[in-house]
Amino acid sequence: MVIVSLLSALYFFISSNPYKMKRRNFIQKTALSTGALSMAGSLAYPNLSSTKSKPHKFNLKYAPHLGMFKALAGDDPIDQINFMADQGFTAFEDNGMMKRDVAMQNKIGETLAKRGMTMGVFVIDKGGNMKNTLAAGKQEYIDIFLDGCKRAVETAKRVNAKWMTVVPGGFERKLPIGVQDGNVIEALKRGAEILEPHGLTMVLEPLSDSPDLYLQNSDQTYMICKGVDSPACKILFDIYHMQKTEGHLIHNMGLTWDEIAYIQIGDNPGRKEPTTGEINYKNVFKWIYEKGFDGVLGMEHGNSKEGKAGEQAVIDAYKQEDSFL
């Protein structure tokens, strides 16, 4: 409005001036002046609306979890999931999904569907990794586990999940190991009967956290899955844990491959993002890709650095290690 007023005043001055220029020349000059001013204005005040860059195209379905990008995306879980999708991540996992209220589960499920993301694992609530051990063969422990399986079915429906993590518990030291194996297999068969009709799969996770945990190695987990003999019972191969307990990662994954349904990631030592430890993740990812794996690889690790810079470092690490083609 200010520019228009100035031009009007200029036109009045020139029109009343005895040495006024011709009307045609004035119109031409003011048109050029207006264009120049408009251009200057556009340069001085560029379009401030942010344009999103295209999401990175990863070769595998890496799945972050809530809190991993909190500094960059904010506190809201839905904003965090949208941020993950904007970065190119095509999957998501949430160990604590069963403990979230139903409204949040529904929101997460709707957001994942809208963004075309695959839901990864959540943990079947049986009281904790060491508690209610299935190796003991006690009915009260089995009942707690089976109740968790039934409730997991409802949670899975809300978020369109397929895989649920199961940790059988600790050793029952008073029993021979063969008897413990049999107890675990029988309990898991009961769980599979609940999950299988819904197309759901519990994935057994061998862990390195304590020598008191019953399930610690991939070959042992393979044996248990063969004993259960159900598509609803497979292996969760956590690369961080297996590097600690047995190493020889690619070899052991190859030996147990037909029972592996889910993979998790973490470098060792430290359990942080790839590139921060000793594992050659670029080679491991390449091998998994060449096996034709179309499942989810859960990013079950911490960030090596805090804040926005640390979160960006996680994204950059996955871009780097995923560039194996």
Side-chain angles (χ1 to χ4, degrees):
M1 292 298 295
V2 174
I3 293 173
V4 172
S5 299
L6 288 172
L7 289 174
S8 298
L10 180 61
Y11 178 74
F12 177 79
F13 170 78
I14 293 172
S15 298
S16 60
N17 193 295
Y19 300 102
K20 62 184 177 183
M21 65 177 72
K22 292 182 180 180
R23 179 183 176 85
R24 180 184 299 173
N25 290 342
F26 171 78
I27 292 172
Q28 290 174 344
K29 290 179 183 297
T30 52
L32 289 171
S33 300
T34 303
L37 287 167
S38 298
M39 183 178 292
S42 65
L43 290 172
Y45 302 100
N47 184 3
L48 296 178
S49 61
S50 60
T51 55
K52 291 181 180 178
S53 58
K54 289 184 178 180
H56 182 79
K57 187 170 178 57
F58 289 102
N59 293 304
L60 294 167
K61 294 179 183 176
Y62 306 110
H65 57 260
L66 294 180
M68 181 166 272
F69 302 123
K70 188 175 179 179
L72 288 170
D75 293 337
D76 184 72
I78 304 304
D79 289 344
Q80 292 182 40
I81 293 172
N82 280 317
F83 177 83
M84 295 169 194
D86 290 341
Q87 302 310 304
F89 294 107
T90 55
F92 165 76
E93 70 175 20
D94 181 23
N95 285 344
M97 182 67 77
M98 287 189 71
K99 297 184 183 299
R100 301 191 187 280
D101 61 64
V102 171
M104 178 53 69
Q105 291 176 4
N106 286 329
K107 282 184 181 179
I108 289 174
E110 291 164 4
T111 304
L112 294 176
K114 182 179 179 181
R115 300 309 303 265
M117 298 176 75
T118 301
M119 179 66 207
V121 293
F122 62 84
V123 175
I124 288 183
D125 183 11
K126 59 174 277 295
N129 286 350
M130 288 295 297
K131 294 181 180 179
N132 307 315
T133 177
L134 302 182
K138 293 182 180 180
Q139 190 60 47
E140 60 186 289
Y141 295 166
I142 296 172
D143 289 343
I144 292 170
F145 166 61
L146 298 180
D147 177 67
C149 290
K150 292 172 184 175
R151 291 185 288 114
V153 171
E154 298 307 311
T155 301
K157 289 177 182 177
R158 297 184 192 110
V159 297
N160 195 29
K162 181 179 180 181
W163 305 278
M164 285 125 281
T165 306
V166 170
V167 177
F171 281 109
E172 183 61 40
R173 299 290 187 184
K174 296 178 181 178
L175 296 177
I177 189 62
V179 173
Q180 294 183 64
D181 293 340
N183 288 339
V184 170
I185 290 170
E186 287 303 310
L188 294 175
K189 282 184 176 180
R190 299 279 302 281
E193 290 172 357
I194 295 170
L195 301 175
E196 188 172 338
H198 300 279
L200 304 178
T201 302
M202 56 181 162
V203 283
L204 310 181
E205 184 177 16
L207 299 173
S208 63
D209 297 328
S210 168
D212 291 324
L213 282 162
Y214 164 81
L215 201 61
Q216 297 189 34
N217 295 89
S218 61
D219 63 327
Q220 174 196 14
T221 314
Y222 183 83
M223 178 269 294
I224 296 295
C225 288
K226 289 300 183 185
V228 177
D229 191 24
S230 168
C233 183
K234 296 294 179 182
I235 297 172
L236 190 172
F237 195 102
D238 188 308
I239 295 171
Y240 162 76
H241 285 295
M242 294 302 91
Q243 173 69 0
K244 288 179 66 180
T245 60
E246 61 189 31
H248 216 16
L249 293 168
I250 289 176
H251 173 75
N252 287 333
M253 290 179 78
L255 290 177
T256 60
W257 186 252
D258 64 306
E259 294 292 340
I260 294 175
Y262 200 93
I263 297 169
Q264 285 182 327
I265 301 161
D267 216 337
N268 182 60
R271 202 175 186 179
K272 306 300 183 185
E273 70 269 16
T275 73
T276 58
E278 65 191 0
I279 301 173
N280 187 342
Y281 263 107
K282 185 172 287 189
N283 273 2
V284 174
F285 289 158
K286 182 175 185 289
W287 183 86
I288 291 169
Y289 177 85
E290 290 176 346
K291 292 291 287 185
F293 186 71
D294 191 41
V296 172
L297 294 91
M299 297 159 60
E300 198 188 33
H301 57 74
N303 299 354
S304 62
K305 302 174 185 176
E306 296 182 356
K308 293 181 179 180
E311 294 176 2
Q312 186 60 51
V314 171
I315 297 169
D316 293 341
Y318 276 88
K319 288 180 179 179
Q320 175 182 317
E321 299 305 277
D322 186 71
S323 62
F324 48 74
L325 293 180

